Amino acid sequence: MSLTYLLRRSGLMIYTLVVVSLIVFGITQALPADAAVMMLGENATPDALAAIRQRLGLDQPVWMQYGRWLAGVLHGDFGLSLRTGQPVGAVMIEALSRSLLLAVLSIGLMLLVAVPLGIVAAIRRGRIADLFVSVVSYVGVSFPEFVTATLVVLVMADWLQLLPATGYVPLTEDPLRGIRHLVLPVLTVSVILVAHVSRMVRSELVDVLHTDYIRAARLKGLDERTVLFRHALRNALLPTITIVALDVGYLLGGIIVVEEIFALPGVGRQLIVAIQARDLPAIQAGALIMAATYSVVNFLADLAYAALDKRIQYA
Amino acid sequence: MTAVLDIAGYTLDYALPKGGSFRALENIVLTIARGEVLGLVGESGSGKTSLAWAIMRYLPGNAQEVGGTIRLNGEDLRSKSPAEIAAIRGRRIGMVFQDPSTSLNPTLTLGAQLSEALVRHRSLTLKQAWAEGEAMMAKVGLHRPADMMHRYPHEASGGEKQRVVIATAFSCQPECILFDEPTTALDVITARQILDLFRRLQDETAVASLYISHDLAVVATVADRVAVIHRGRLVETAPVIQVFNRPQADYTKRLIAAVPRPDRRLNDTTADAEAAPLLEVRSLTVRYGQESLVRRLLGVERERVLGNRAVSLSVQPGEILGVVGESGSGKSTLARALTGLNPFDGEILFDGRRIASAGDMDRAYRRDVQLVFQHPDSSLNPRQRIGEILSRPLKLYGNGHEADFPQRVAELLEQVHLPRSFAQRYPHQLSGGEKQRVAIARAFASHPRLVICDEITSSLDVSVQAAVIQLLLDLQRRFGTAYLFITHDLNLVRQIAHRIAVMFRGELVELATVGELAAGPKHAYTTALIDAVPAPVG
């Protein structure tokens, strides 16, 4: 991996983030919500509204407002919540850390299950094991999150009474209870992702096992284990990195339903609250933080890919 | 002399998915002694590769071995367990594959791939194996072997990669090595160097080699004895001189007759050198790659890859101009520029009309200049019947009424010696040679004055190639069509072209008549190219 590639890829990430910040800011400008009215209520006097607009800089041209907002964001200041009056940045980042915890644990569990499943399906292609993996993964991917979540809660929390159905306890407060609360959401999300990734691993590995260089490795007399782990997996798992990075996007935005069902105060829930309250600074902060996380994860995935696949010089 | 490899009465079937079976090999009998090279020659589908897989015990699941023995120094390989076979592969039987760019793992260094065989079979430590691998790399003529060990396949040239594959095959001092078309994927000059390496290692190690190839000329230069295989049967096995000078089997005779020989002209026409040229290319330059927006704004000039550098040539009416060169020499780039597929600088004059860019190539130009591609599989739409494929140019160039199209399509098919009924077929129902005939018929549908043939015979078997070349010459005599015949096969082009243009790294280095070339080329590269081509057989 060359320095040029690193610079180019970083440049691309920064460019993406600038575009995202423009879009986020633009959308909140277009929303039918007036920050001054939101703060002072419907019955505020015109003088009071004008005063607060001046204080917030809302009377300035839009590009000035964008510049001030961006400058603040770069210093970690996302503005004050219109709903609570507290800084929105801290709230959003805390929510994000909970979502990320859920995401990282889910991806970890998913990889532990999906990669071996994909391998088994690929080397037992067309046999019972392959069929079993296919059926399991299709069932997993076909159910909507709320169905999977409900089933998981029904079995684990209601029938077996093993784990709490909802709620969240910070790990720092009580690690054991914290983990008990995380198990079911992690399980739900993993089930959905396992399907996705095991299919990917299977099809990539099947392709790789049919390449000339795998045949060459076998005809060198290498045993099947060496052929599989040293020659085939390395190539088959590369595309999986990209898929997992894309899944992070889904995990940040798409698991609002899961967070809602398990009452997990993640970034998705915070964003819904902000939207319902037309809390513009909170919406901006939430959207931007999610986009930034997504960009960074994909940036890291591309770097990992380039480090593993020596052929990649630049994208 | 005892045989290292001894195959007797070997018969192999493949089970077909719809039931029944297909006989791939029938009663194969062959032996290879220590230090001997047996050339196995056959066309695609003849069973030569199946035989290699049978020896390596690497048969697909639907293979059914009907009978016979395959012995390696007296031991029957067919009775070995999978674990025993794994210990024999790479250790006692090595294999060299056709395409080094696909037979090496892209994510492992060349050194890792070479030394793992030594670790596996000779119980060396990783460090010993690495040192041994480095010594092997030096032995196969790789420069700076220590550096090469750490490179990845994409960081080495095709010739270097094939040397690594050969080093791997020889590294455990096997008793027998199978070479499966080891030079087919390489350029002429590189192929020649690999053949020289093969001969040197063969002499040094006295390994028993099975050299599989479709190319009789190559086999003639490396083999001691030749076995000719046709439809799963060995039709003739004899010393190399005997096979080429006094072939016994009819099939061998046909095969040898089809091999291009530069001294046997197939084309007796002459091109009028005095006439106004049909096509004139003046300092045509093609650059690949686009300037990025940022660079253009900053005014930073990036060095762009040159596809063609100031190429100038002309084609007379009815002339066959051969264009030869290695891969990457710019021959196909020229074809793409002439058909507007690549943007170019410089100018093209067609029949006196000036064409400065692809935008100037109007319907009249496209009617007059047609292109036939290398792979008919990808140039014929698999979802259209042959009749539809051939009707398209008729429609496009407005020749006659739609009601007449079936008749015209039938005529086109007959022109290329295909039955009329093929109009109802789909491309996948045709053989490779038949598909290429359809592609030629399509090019001739608009009565072009120039047809650009881009390696049109290189994916065809030698006997099919001979027939397609004969067809092209018939059409040229009949319609007076000029050809720009692009190929890497110097022997072939010397049989049919009036003049030959030699390309090297994007430049036209020599343009001479066939007679001048035979008398002695002027450019050093042309000399190297001619010297690298195996001497014709027969």
Side-chain angles (χ1 to χ4, degrees):
Chain A
M1 182 171 36
S2 64
L3 186 68
T4 342
Y5 176 76
L6 200 72
L7 289 175
R8 282 178 63 134
R9 191 60 189 78
S10 322
L12 188 66
M13 181 177 65
I14 291 164
Y15 171 73
T16 310
L17 288 176
V18 169
V19 171
V20 167
S21 75
L22 273 170
I23 292 170
V24 165
F25 190 80
I27 286 173
T28 48
Q29 287 296 312
L31 279 179
D34 186 329
V37 178
M38 295 294 301
M39 287 175 79
L40 298 183
E42 299 288 339
N43 303 323
T45 62
D47 284 352
L49 284 175
I52 199 154
R53 282 198 182 112
Q54 198 180 1
R55 188 160 66 77
L56 292 174
L58 294 179
D59 53 346
Q60 289 169 341
V62 173
W63 61 270
M64 284 271 289
Q65 293 184 43
Y66 172 72
R68 272 176 27 138
W69 174 69
L70 196 63
V73 165
L74 291 176
H75 291 94
D77 173 15
F78 287 86
L80 301 179
S81 165
L82 299 183
R83 189 167 57 93
T84 62
Q86 300 297 310
V88 289
V91 176
M92 278 296 167
I93 284 175
E94 205 193 328
L96 179 77
S97 71
R98 294 186 205 113
S99 290
L100 276 183
L101 184 66
L102 173 60
V104 168
L105 290 176
S106 304
I107 287 178
L109 179 65
M110 173 275 285
L111 288 178
L112 280 179
V113 178
V115 172
L117 277 187
I119 294 172
V120 167
I123 56 183
R124 313 283 299 172
R125 195 161 68 102
R127 308 212 201 146
I128 296 292
D130 182 22
L131 191 71
F132 177 75
V133 172
S134 293
V135 170
V136 166
S137 53
Y138 278 128
V139 167
V141 85
S142 310
F143 280 159
E145 293 96 329
F146 63 86
V147 175
T148 315
T150 313
L151 284 177
V152 165
V153 168
L154 194 67
V155 175
M156 304 294 279
D158 195 46
W159 293 354
L160 301 177
Q161 304 266 333
L162 283 176
L163 294 158
T166 59
Y168 174 79
V169 174
L171 287 179
T172 44
E173 208 171 90
D174 183 345
L176 197 67
R177 280 188 59 213
I179 287 173
R180 282 171 59 84
H181 275 99
L182 275 171
V183 171
L184 293 189
V186 165
L187 210 60
T188 307
V189 176
S190 307
V191 165
I192 295 154
L193 294 180
V194 158
H196 201 180
V197 172
S198 66
R199 301 302 302 168
M200 182 79 192
V201 170
R202 178 192 180 274
S203 72
E204 286 296 325
L205 191 56
V206 165
D207 285 351
V208 169
L209 287 174
H210 280 95
T211 56
D212 286 359
Y213 58 83
I214 292 300
R215 190 179 66 196
R218 286 190 177 133
L219 294 184
K220 267 192 249 180
L222 301 179
D223 57 279
E224 258 323 282
R225 222 180 47 214
T226 315
V227 169
L228 184 64
F229 288 102
R230 183 176 155 93
H231 283 266
L233 265 191
R234 203 181 277 257
N235 291 286
L237 289 184
L238 277 174
T240 312
I241 295 175
T242 314
I243 290 293
V244 170
L246 291 174
D247 278 342
V248 171
Y250 157 77
L251 283 174
L252 290 177
I255 52 172
I256 291 175
V257 177
V258 176
E259 290 184 353
E260 200 63 42
I261 290 174
F262 292 102
L264 198 142
V267 74
R269 281 192 93 201
Q270 285 296 332
L271 205 56
I272 286 190
V273 171
I275 290 168
Q276 281 166 347
R278 296 192 183 171
D279 188 348
L280 296 185
I283 296 173
Q284 289 171 339
L288 195 60
I289 286 171
M290 280 167 75
T293 314
Y294 188 51
S295 293
V296 169
V297 168
N298 273 286
F299 172 66
L300 293 177
D302 278 2
L303 292 194
Y305 203 118
L308 291 171
D309 191 338
K310 302 293 188 297
R311 285 167 297 183
I312 292 188
Q313 295 302 316
Y314 44 81
Chain B
M1 200 160 56
T2 56
V4 174
L5 188 72
D6 182 358
I7 300 174
Y10 186 75
T11 300
L12 177 75
D13 284 353
Y14 287 121
L16 299 174
K18 285 172 189 160
S21 63
F22 164 77
R23 181 138 295 184
L25 295 170
E26 170 98 52
N27 194 23
I28 298 294
V29 177
L30 62 81
T31 60
I32 310 177
R34 197 174 127 76
E36 188 186 34
V37 181
L38 178 73
L40 181 63
V41 175
E43 299 188 289
S44 48
S46 62
K48 56 188 196 300
T49 308
S50 287
L51 184 58
W53 298 144
I55 297 168
M56 294 305 290
R57 312 307 303 148
Y58 195 71
L59 290 165
N62 64 339
Q64 299 164 342
E65 298 184 280
V66 180
T69 54
I70 301 173
R71 290 178 192 281
L72 180 69
N73 274 321
E75 294 173 50
D76 190 0
L77 296 179
R78 283 189 59 195
S79 62
K80 301 277 183 198
S81 70
E84 287 170 323
I85 288 297
I88 289 173
R89 285 179 187 158
R91 174 72 191 88
R92 297 180 59 194
I93 311 182
M95 186 154 181
V96 174
F97 307 91
Q98 177 169 348
D99 189 350
S101 60
T102 59
S103 60
L104 287 167
N105 191 330
T107 54
L108 290 173
T109 59
L110 297 173
Q113 297 185 59
L114 171 51
S115 52
E116 68 184 351
L118 295 163
V119 173
R120 164 78 171 92
H121 294 299
R122 287 170 54 190
S123 312
L124 301 183
T125 65
L126 212 56
K127 210 173 158 190
Q128 288 169 326
W130 196 271
E132 179 82 22
E134 210 176 303
M136 274 313 293
M137 281 202 172
K139 205 170 161 189
V140 295
L142 284 164
H143 303 295
R144 304 178 57 200
D147 173 51
M148 192 59 82
M149 290 289 282
H150 290 282
R151 288 206 204 166
Y152 286 89
H154 72 277
E155 295 168 319
S157 72
E160 286 169 337
K161 278 183 276 194
Q162 195 62 308
R163 281 173 197 271
V164 172
V165 174
I166 290 173
T168 312
F170 277 94
S171 66
C172 294
Q173 289 128 28
E175 295 145 49
C176 176
I177 300 184
L178 312 187
F179 294 85
D180 184 14
E181 306 254 9
T183 62
T184 306
L186 304 173
D187 277 319
V188 178
I189 291 177
T190 315
R192 177 57 184 264
Q193 291 163 350
I194 293 293
L195 283 182
D196 290 343
L197 172 70
F198 166 74
R199 267 187 294 249
R200 180 164 65 76
L201 291 174
Q202 174 68 33
D203 287 345
E204 283 173 18
T205 59
V207 66
S209 294
L210 180 67
Y211 196 101
I212 301 169
S213 180
H214 70 283
D215 191 336
L216 281 159
V218 168
V219 168
T221 64
V222 296
D224 302 309
R225 285 189 304 136
V226 177
V228 181
I229 187 168
H230 181 51
R231 294 189 185 158
R233 294 163 187 265
L234 289 183
V235 294
E236 185 159 4
T237 308
V240 75
I241 301 169
Q242 192 181 321
V243 167
F244 290 121
N245 292 336
R246 291 188 305 281
Q248 300 299 309
D250 288 340
Y251 176 72
T252 316
K253 290 176 190 163
R254 284 210 306 276
L255 206 57
I256 290 172
V259 175
R261 312 176 33 158
D263 56 337
R264 193 164 58 210
R265 283 288 288 178
L266 295 174
N267 182 2
D268 50 13
T269 63
T270 50
D272 184 359
E274 303 302 316
L278 177 66
L279 172 82
E280 241 189 300
V281 176
R282 289 183 185 160
S283 51
L284 180 110
T285 299
V286 175
R287 290 187 182 84
Y288 279 118
Q290 279 191 327
E291 286 296 306
S292 75
L293 184 68
V294 179
R295 280 177 200 276
R296 243 181 298 166
L297 289 176
L298 295 176
V300 184
E301 190 73 26
R302 183 166 55 125
E303 208 174 303
R304 289 208 280 168
V305 179
L306 270 177
N308 281 153
R309 189 199 307 266
V311 171
S312 299
L313 51 80
S314 64
V315 182
Q316 301 298 118
E319 184 186 32
I320 301 181
L321 178 70
V323 180
V324 295
E326 303 190 346
S327 52
S329 64
K331 4 183 243 304
S332 289
T333 305
L334 180 65
R336 293 174 64 87
L338 288 175
T339 45
L341 294 169
N342 274 341
F344 58 89
D345 295 329
E347 61 174 8
I348 297 170
L349 286 165
F350 188 80
D351 202 12
R353 211 157 64 84
R354 189 169 171 277
I355 287 153
S357 73
D360 294 341
M361 294 180 184
D362 54 6
R363 189 163 288 196
Y365 177 82
R366 296 200 178 280
R367 182 184 5 233
D368 282 340
V369 180
Q370 289 282 315
L371 180 62
V372 182
F373 295 92
Q374 177 173 358
H375 297 292
D377 283 322
S378 48
S379 66
L380 299 180
N381 187 338
R383 290 179 179 279
Q384 285 185 340
R385 291 176 198 275
I386 303 302
E388 296 169 64
I389 292 172
L390 293 178
S391 301
R392 265 197 81 83
L394 298 177
K395 227 174 273 179
L396 195 61
Y397 300 113
N399 295 352
H401 293 286
E402 205 150 323
D404 302 334
F405 284 174
Q407 180 56 32
R408 294 287 316 280
V409 166
E411 286 166 17
L412 284 170
L413 284 170
E414 277 172 6
Q415 246 172 44
V416 295
H417 311 304
L418 290 175
R420 288 165 169 245
S421 59
F422 272 31
Q424 296 308 314
R425 297 207 187 173
Y426 286 98
H428 73 264
Q429 296 171 305
L430 274 55
S431 73
E434 288 166 349
K435 276 183 270 194
Q436 201 57 293
R437 283 169 190 269
V438 171
I440 292 168
R442 176 172 63 180
F444 274 86
S446 64
H447 299 299
R449 297 160 74 188
L450 174 68
V451 174
I452 299 171
C453 304
D454 190 359
E455 297 270 15
I456 63 168
T457 61
S458 59
S459 59
L460 304 177
D461 277 318
V462 62
S463 59
V464 182
Q465 163 176 293
V468 167
I469 291 296
Q470 205 51 57
L471 168 67
L472 280 180
L473 293 173
D474 288 348
L475 290 170
Q476 185 241 0
R477 270 190 287 269
R478 195 163 151 198
F479 299 111
T481 318
Y483 294 130
L484 194 73
F485 192 87
I486 296 170
T487 182
H488 66 280
D489 190 337
L490 205 54
N491 284 342
L492 173 66
V493 80
R494 285 168 74 183
Q495 284 189 295
I496 61 167
H498 297 109
R499 287 185 302 150
I500 293 174
V502 182
M503 307 257 327
F504 181 57
R505 295 190 182 160
E507 285 183 70
L508 181 72
V509 295
E510 183 151 6
L511 180 58
T513 66
V514 172
E516 287 165 356
L517 219 55
K522 293 188 187 72
H523 196 276
Y525 175 72
T526 315
T527 314
L529 204 60
I530 291 179
D531 287 348
V533 177
V537 295

